[in-house]
Amino acid sequence: MPKKTIGIGFGTWAWGNKLVWGYKAGTDDILLKKTFFEAINGGLDLVDSADSYGTGSLFGQSEKLIGDFLEELPKRKLKKITIATKLAPFPWRIGRNGLNKAFQQSNQRLKGNMTRVQLHWSTYRYAPWQEEQLLNGLGDLYEKGLIKEIGLSNTGPKRLNFLFQNLKKRGIKISSIQMQLSLLTKPSLEDENIKNICEENEIEYLAYSPLGLGILTVPPDKHPEPKTFLRQKLFQRILPKTVELRTLLTNIAKKYSVSQAQVALNWIRSHGAKPIVGIRNPFQAKDAISALNWSLTKSEKQNLDFCRKECLANMPQNPFTSP
Ligand SMILES: NC(=O)c1ccc[n+]([C@@H]2O[C@H](COP(=O)([O-])OP(=O)(O)OC[C@H]3O[C@@H](n4cnc5c(N)ncnc54)[C@H](OP(=O)(O)O)[C@@H]3O)[C@@H](O)[C@H]2O)c1
């Protein structure tokens, strides 16, 4: 059984898109709170957020809600959870102190409970000088004892290795790397290289959008219409081209009497990564937790790997992802 556990994401697509577009304060908060506690009490041990989850008048709303929920968590439970957020390297956040204010604001919203700060994406492709400076700035906050752990996101293997070695010279470790990884992402050599770097250096490999925004949970004969425009377009493009993959998922799911979501999450775990799943309700929280009770056989993993390789449609990649 792979040791890796599962984290929950409070992100743009899962809860965040609700937070941005159709968030109803009060009613939604109650559902989100129930979901949060179902997940934490069930044993999910990482919470992922970002300062950009929530815009306009809802700026930072994901972090704010998490901060409120955490206040109700007993200290002994809180100690066991990694509370991770991501700071966006917006073009106006420049220089070594460029993230200081953002860090303070996120920490305030999370009521001082932040464990890990991740750089949300790599600036290497458009402002290569910015990335090292911002990361060194996070290193300064670490040395002052203000942050416990540093992580990266959307950073390819070359830059991951370079940045890891750079911080290592200061005696600082990169704790995690967060990348899009699912049966719907295109298999690549970069994936393998990241995995190897993570294993060699004990970096936690976090897989975001592990369910392909929910596509992998759709039975092969179903064609749901999601509510938001972007998700509708994605489902329309990808669903017809993934029938074979989703048939295999459903067959494995039937064998274990579990959901397709659990099979997709355990495929991530079989690759040594930890899925951060975007759960929206207590049922989905329970379902994600149940994936921890079983694992794929070697041949099931290989069949899924093969189907992924042959898959005719893939999720769009984050354009900022560095080499
Ligand atoms: N670093 C980055 O740049 C980055 C980018 C994207 C996401 N993330 C992180 O990764 C997290 C998760 O990613 P994501 O939300 O984009 O995608 P995801 O986890 O692949 O998909 C989330 C969707 O899957 C469905 N779902 C979840 N559990 C289910 C279950 N048990 N059964 C059936 N359907 C289920 C829900 O759909 P319904 O809404 O239809 O119920 C939910 O909206 C985010 O919250 C965020 O923290 C990071």
Side-chain angles (χ1 to χ4, degrees):
M1 167 89 63
K3 274 196 295 283
K4 308 281 171 190
T5 51
I6 296 180
I8 44 175
F10 283 58
T12 351
W13 282 100
W15 295 5
N17 82 0
K18 225 174 174 186
L19 296 175
V20 177
W21 302 114
Y23 173 72
K24 286 191 211 78
T27 46
D28 287 348
D29 290 2
I30 294 166
L31 182 68
L32 296 178
K33 192 169 168 180
K34 276 190 185 153
T35 309
F36 180 86
F37 282 102
E38 187 75 52
I40 299 298
N41 290 332
L44 300 200
D45 63 353
L46 182 138
V47 177
D48 180 64
S49 185
D51 65 349
S52 58
Y53 292 169
T55 53
S57 61
L58 295 174
F59 185 79
Q61 183 69 359
S62 165
E63 292 178 334
K64 193 175 165 302
L65 281 177
I66 295 169
D68 290 347
F69 299 161
L70 290 175
E71 281 202 311
E72 293 184 31
L73 208 64
K75 287 272 172 288
R76 66 185 158 75
K77 275 214 171 133
L78 189 57
K79 267 191 199 157
K80 292 185 184 156
I81 309 168
T82 300
I83 310 293
T85 198
K86 300 185 285 296
L87 300 182
F90 292 131
W92 54 90
R93 291 176 174 173
I94 43 171
R96 199 160 169 141
N97 298 325
L99 289 174
N100 284 6
K101 197 170 159 208
F103 161 73
Q104 278 163 13
Q105 289 171 338
S106 286
N107 202 27
Q108 227 165 26
R109 288 191 287 266
L110 289 164
K111 309 231 164 58
N113 291 309
M114 191 195 286
T115 325
R116 187 178 299 167
V117 177
Q118 307 156 104
L119 196 60
H120 201 149
W121 62 82
S122 171
T123 67
Y124 183 72
R125 290 194 188 275
Y126 60 94
W129 58 88
Q130 195 187 1
E131 187 170 56
E132 259 179 274
Q133 290 194 13
L134 292 178
L135 210 60
N136 274 324
L138 291 183
D140 296 341
L141 296 175
Y142 174 89
E143 282 171 346
K144 286 181 193 152
L146 294 171
I147 34 182
K148 296 191 185 93
E149 294 174 10
I150 296 176
L152 293 174
S153 172
N154 298 306
T155 308
K158 268 193 191 161
R159 290 301 290 171
L160 169 62
N161 201 29
F162 175 80
L163 296 168
F164 180 86
Q165 298 303 339
N166 254 11
L167 278 190
K168 196 175 165 189
K169 286 181 201 147
R170 293 176 63 184
I172 304 171
K173 189 176 155 35
I174 286 180
S175 298
S176 65
I177 171 85
Q178 191 176 131
M179 299 296 280
Q180 184 179 191
L181 177 69
S182 78
L183 283 160
L184 287 176
T185 55
K186 216 176 169 56
S188 68
L189 193 59
E190 278 80 19
D191 277 359
E192 284 308 304
N193 290 342
I194 287 182
K195 196 170 142 183
N196 293 337
I197 296 170
C198 286
E199 273 170 16
E200 264 168 43
N201 300 291
E202 293 181 0
I203 301 170
E204 196 171 33
Y205 189 0
L206 301 174
Y208 76 71
S209 303
L211 301 177
L213 268 50
I215 291 173
L216 292 168
T217 71
V218 178
D221 56 340
K222 294 273 183 320
H223 301 270
E225 275 272 313
K227 285 190 195 117
T228 57
F229 177 74
L230 286 176
R231 223 168 149 210
Q232 263 171 26
K233 290 280 152 217
L234 199 70
F235 274 49
Q236 278 165 12
R237 177 172 71 81
I238 295 184
L239 277 177
K241 294 181 176 163
T242 54
V243 176
E244 209 173 315
L245 173 62
R246 288 180 293 117
T247 304
L248 179 58
L249 280 172
T250 212
N251 287 343
I252 299 174
K254 273 184 195 149
K255 178 182 154 194
Y256 292 98
S257 303
V258 299
S259 65
Q260 274 179 225
Q262 287 190 42
V263 181
L265 294 176
N266 274 344
W267 175 82
I268 302 272
R269 295 172 74 221
S270 75
H271 279 266
K274 175 168 176 153
I276 320 171
V277 56
I279 47 180
R280 295 186 91 143
N281 55 50
F283 167 80
Q284 292 178 352
K286 263 192 191 149
D287 197 32
I289 292 157
S290 301
L292 296 170
N293 298 330
W294 66 280
S295 50
L296 293 167
T297 64
K298 200 172 164 194
S299 73
E300 286 160 354
K301 174 181 181 272
Q302 282 168 349
N303 289 343
L304 285 165
D305 284 346
F306 180 77
C307 233
R308 176 193 187 211
K309 204 167 116 236
E310 298 294 304
C311 192
L312 298 170
N314 296 111
M315 294 290 288
Q317 285 294 323
N318 180 309
F320 297 138
T321 303
S322 65

